[in-house]
């Protein structure tokens, strides 16, 4: 029985180690970039030098639809999504997929979908200025973006086209596996290991104790992110069999069944003679739910100009206690009757699961305090990941692995360079955000290129020096210097010095500047004070004292006896 238990322990231990090493860099990026993306809206307001104001859009939806039609798009039969995006230049975004047709629509000469040309059939992507309603971007327009949005995309590898989200989901699945196996490995001694921290032991023991103790502290947080991260990445892959078997391959039908507020109404292929005014129905929704404290709103028109056309208004509200903050109302456009609605406090299993998990993942509850806790726990998780890599490297720093020492050192240098280099790379991105003018053509793509080139350069630097201590030290000092420079650059560029931004109501500017100044000072201090870790057992150029050799021999003898007794 003991041999079986030892074998099981070794299997779980090795599985945990291998899984952790495989996903270490990707997982570190997810958590480190994700920590910053928790405040992406605050960062975007800081970048644009604008205040965080109440979300109260007053959009002329009828005008928006007319503009899309005047551009040459045929809206008949489409499901059209209209969103308001807040920021330094608020805009209205219009999206619509190509129109669906009935199988017999080609035979029906009275069908509203018979006349089509290439543009009329195309998918729609338009961005309109929220004040002037001028079109500012189309589907093929030059790339635009923001720093907060960039960090948000980075945390799920959104910069990798088509595959990034699924890769992050795969990393989350492996992370969940590593958490389960790690918990099994430490389960019997989970309490004692938490209070064990051998500062005077070998370097491997130091990293092992740090990895275990901090891993236990963040275990519920890490488990939650492993589950929700995997779910968001592979949810549609999971639902594919359900869509094919129960909904005849129609994804919109399944979505409408799970979330009534996202239901897309099918066409009956008969023209709508007269419809209600969309603006009036949206105002009616505001009267029903209240207009204040909105964080997001989507207006959806299903089966436009069809007899079965419907309008659905989805909104989210802030300052709501708990994990559920969504509400929606659907109207029949032929007579304006409300057919279904859900208030913020009316939660059902259909909407509660997905909305609740989303708010839990992004800390959209509890305000800044909860986000700050998430931020700290995310950084702790990053340290757990790095300490796990260091345990693996130190375990192979012995004569047993002498033949693979060069390979292991190279792998460690790349791993640490990619992980630790992300901190100064993000700090650099914040700096150049205040150096490159907002009006500069191709500004965002240029800044993104600078970010990735710097990050790559630091990985190459780490690979060539192959000194883990210097890789860590220089990353901290670089990030620290740039961190304390960020408030200075913001003050020069915008005039919003911390002592002015707070009094003038630019809360996000003050918040980001102060946090970076604090992070910068701490990073510089730690970077200058950190010392190279050297095992206390290695003295006089690696020679152990006689007393230490006797002590090690005694510990080894006791260990062998205990092992024999167990067997």
């Amino acid at each position: 029985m003991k041999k079986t238990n030892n074998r099981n322990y070794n299997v779980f231990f090795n599985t945990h180690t291998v899984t952790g090493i495989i996903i270490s860099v990707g997982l570190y990026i997810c958590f480190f970039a994700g920590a910053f993306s928790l405040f992406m809206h605050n960062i975007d307001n800081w970048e644009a030098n604008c205040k965080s104001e109440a979300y109260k859009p007053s959009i002329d939806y009828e005008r928006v639809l007319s503009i899309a039609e005047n551009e040459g798009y045929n809206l008949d039969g489409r499901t059209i999504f209209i969103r308001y995006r807040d920021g330094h230049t608020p805009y209205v975004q219009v999206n619509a997929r190509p129109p669906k047709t009935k199988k017999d629509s080609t035979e029906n000469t009275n069908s509203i979908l018979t006349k089509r040309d290439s543009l009329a059939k195309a998918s729609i992507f338009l961005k309109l200025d929220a004040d002037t309603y001028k079109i500012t971007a189309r589907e093929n327009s030059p790339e635009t973006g923001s720093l907060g949005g960039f960090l948000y995309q980075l945390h799920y590898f959104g910069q990798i086209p088509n595959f990034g989200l699924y890769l992050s989901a795969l990393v989350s699945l492996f992370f969940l596996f590593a958490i389960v196996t790690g918990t099994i490995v430490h389960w019997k001694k989970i309490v004692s290991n938490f209070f064990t921290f051998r500062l005077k032991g070998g370097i491997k023991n130091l990293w092992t104790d740090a990895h275990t103790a901090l891993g236990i502290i963040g275990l519920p947080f890490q488990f939650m992110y492993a589950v929700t991260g995997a779910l968001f990445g592979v949810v549609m892959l999971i639902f594919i069999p359900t869509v094919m078997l129960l909904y005849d391959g129609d994804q919109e039908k399944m979505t409408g069944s799970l979330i009534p507020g996202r239901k897309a109404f099918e066409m009956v292929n008969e023209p709508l003679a007269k419809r209600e005014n969309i603006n009036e129905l949206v105002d009616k929704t505001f009267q029903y739910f209240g207009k204040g404290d909105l964080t997001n709103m989507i207006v959806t028109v299903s089966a436009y100009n069809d007899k079965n056309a419907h309008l659905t208004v989805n909104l989210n509200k802030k300052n709501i206690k708990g994990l559920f903050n969504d509400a929606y109302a659907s109207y029949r456009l032929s007579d304006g009757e409300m057919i279904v609605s859900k208030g913020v406090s009316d939660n059902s299993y259909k909407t509660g699961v997905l909305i609740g998990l989303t708010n839990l993942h992004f800390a959209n509850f509890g305000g800044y305090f909860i986000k700050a806790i998430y931020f700290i726990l995310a950084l702790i998780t990053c340290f757990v990941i790095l300490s796990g890599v260091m345990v693996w490297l130190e375990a192979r720093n012995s004569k047993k692995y002498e033949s693979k020492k060069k390979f292991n050192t190279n792998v460690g240098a790349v791993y640490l360079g990619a992980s630790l280099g992300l901190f100064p790379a993000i700090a650099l991105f914040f700096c150049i955000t205040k150096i490159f003018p907002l009006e500069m053509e191709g500004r965002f793509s240029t800044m993104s290129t600078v970010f990735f080139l710097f990050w790559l350069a630091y990985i190459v630097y780490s690979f060539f020096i192959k000194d883990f201590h210097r890789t860590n030290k220089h990353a901290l000092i670089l990030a620290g210097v740039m961190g304390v420079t960020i408030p200075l650059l913001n003050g020069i560029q915008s005039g919003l010095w911390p002592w002015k931004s707070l009094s003038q109501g630019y809360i996000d500017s003050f918040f980001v500047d102060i946090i970076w100044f604090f992070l910068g000072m701490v990073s510089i201090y730690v970077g200058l004070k950190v010392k190279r870790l050297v095992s206390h057992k290695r003295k006089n150029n690696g020679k152990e004292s006689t007393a230490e050799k006797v002590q090690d021999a005694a510990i080894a003898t006791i260990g062998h006896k205990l092992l024999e007794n167990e067997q």
Side-chain angles (χ1 to χ4, degrees), residues 419-434:
S419 299
L420 296 173
L422 183 59
F423 188 20
I426 290 177
L428 175 65
F429 208 141
F430 274 80
C431 287
I432 62 178
T433 295
K434 291 300 176 179

Side-chain angles (χ1 to χ4, degrees), residues 250-293:
D250 193 332
Q251 179 180 324
E252 291 183 355
K253 281 186 179 180
M254 184 203 68
T255 304
S257 177
L258 292 176
I259 309 177
R262 302 287 178 88
K263 181 179 179 180
F265 296 87
E266 292 187 355
M267 297 172 53
V268 295
N269 214 32
E270 295 181 20
L272 180 62
K274 183 181 179 181
R275 65 173 176 82
E276 295 295 315
N277 186 282
I278 294 177
N279 293 331
E280 294 178 359
L281 294 179
V282 173
D283 289 338
K284 181 179 178 180
T285 306
F286 286 143
Q287 294 174 6
Y288 190 74
F289 293 121
K291 191 174 182 179
D293 294 331

Side-chain angles (χ1 to χ4, degrees), residues 151-447:
L151 294 174
Y152 169 70
Q153 291 181 350
L154 182 63
H155 103 282
Y156 64 87
F157 315 140
Q159 285 76 14
I160 303 176
N162 303 322
F163 184 66
L165 179 62
Y166 300 111
L167 180 61
S168 67
L170 187 63
V171 169
S172 297
L173 286 174
F174 274 97
F175 183 42
L176 179 62
F177 194 65
I179 290 174
V180 172
T181 53
T183 302
I184 293 173
V185 167
H186 296 288
W187 181 252
K188 290 185 178 180
K189 297 183 178 180
I190 196 168
V191 176
S192 61
N193 286 349
F194 178 76
F195 292 101
T196 301
F197 209 90
R198 293 164 287 185
L199 292 175
K200 295 183 179 181
I203 299 176
K204 180 175 178 292
N205 291 336
L206 176 65
W207 287 118
T208 301
D209 294 341
H211 182 75
T212 304
L214 293 176
I216 294 172
I217 290 174
L219 184 61
F221 173 80
Q222 294 158 12
F223 182 82
M224 179 273 292
Y225 262 113
V227 173
T228 56
L231 176 64
F232 293 148
V234 300
V235 63
M236 291 316 302
L237 295 178
I238 295 174
F239 285 147
I240 283 177
T242 305
V243 173
M244 299 304 296
L245 293 175
L246 301 181
Y247 297 95
D248 297 325
D250 193 332
Q251 179 180 324
E252 291 183 355
K253 281 186 179 180
M254 184 203 68
T255 304
S257 177
L258 292 176
I259 309 177
R262 302 287 178 88
K263 181 179 179 180
F265 296 87
E266 292 187 355
M267 297 172 53
V268 295
N269 214 32
E270 295 181 20
L272 180 62
K274 183 181 179 181
R275 65 173 176 82
E276 295 295 315
N277 186 282
I278 294 177
N279 293 331
E280 294 178 359
L281 294 179
V282 173
D283 289 338
K284 181 179 178 180
T285 306
F286 286 143
Q287 294 174 6
Y288 190 74
F289 293 121
K291 191 174 182 179
D293 294 331
L294 292 179
T295 61
N296 188 33
M297 188 176 76
I298 302 176
V299 172
T300 306
V301 183
S302 298
Y304 184 72
N305 276 349
D306 186 81
K307 192 174 182 179
N308 196 38
H310 284 74
L311 172 74
T312 302
V313 181
N314 284 274
L315 53 87
N316 299 93
K317 307 192 76 172
K318 62 182 178 181
N319 300 327
I320 301 298
K321 295 182 179 179
L323 296 176
F324 310 103
N325 64 343
D326 66 307
Y328 63 83
S330 293
Y331 305 88
R332 193 165 49 229
L333 278 178
S334 59
D335 55 14
E337 181 180 351
M338 181 186 292
I339 60 172
V340 65
S341 67
K342 172 194 172 299
V344 174
S345 59
D346 303 330
N347 295 302
S348 66
Y349 73 94
K350 288 185 176 181
T351 59
V353 174
L354 292 179
I355 298 298
L357 288 177
T358 300
N359 290 331
L360 182 65
H361 185 89
F362 294 105
N364 292 331
F365 64 98
Y368 286 108
F369 177 75
I370 295 297
K371 287 183 179 289
I373 296 298
Y374 268 52
F375 184 84
I376 294 171
L377 288 173
L379 295 184
I380 289 176
T381 303
C382 291
F383 186 84
V384 171
I385 297 167
L386 287 179
S387 59
V389 174
M390 294 308 300
V391 170
W392 182 82
L393 291 172
E394 287 298 326
R396 279 147 185 80
N397 188 20
S398 64
K399 293 182 178 180
K400 180 181 178 181
Y401 297 96
E402 189 67 31
S403 61
K404 297 182 179 179
K405 184 176 181 179
K406 184 177 180 180
F407 172 78
N408 292 335
T409 302
N410 289 337
V411 171
V414 173
Y415 275 14
L416 294 180
S419 299
L420 296 173
L422 183 59
F423 188 20
I426 290 177
L428 175 65
F429 208 141
F430 274 80
C431 287
I432 62 178
T433 295
K434 291 300 176 179
I435 296 175
F436 288 43
L438 290 172
E439 301 79 15
M440 174 182 170
E441 186 176 353
R443 172 180 178 271
F444 186 74
S445 59
T446 303
M447 292 192 303

Side-chain angles (χ1 to χ4, degrees), residues 417-418 421 425 449-463:
T449 302
V450 173
F451 168 83
F452 284 115
L453 287 178
F454 177 89
W455 193 10
L456 176 62
Y458 200 85
I459 296 173
V460 174
Y461 168 73
S462 176
F463 177 79

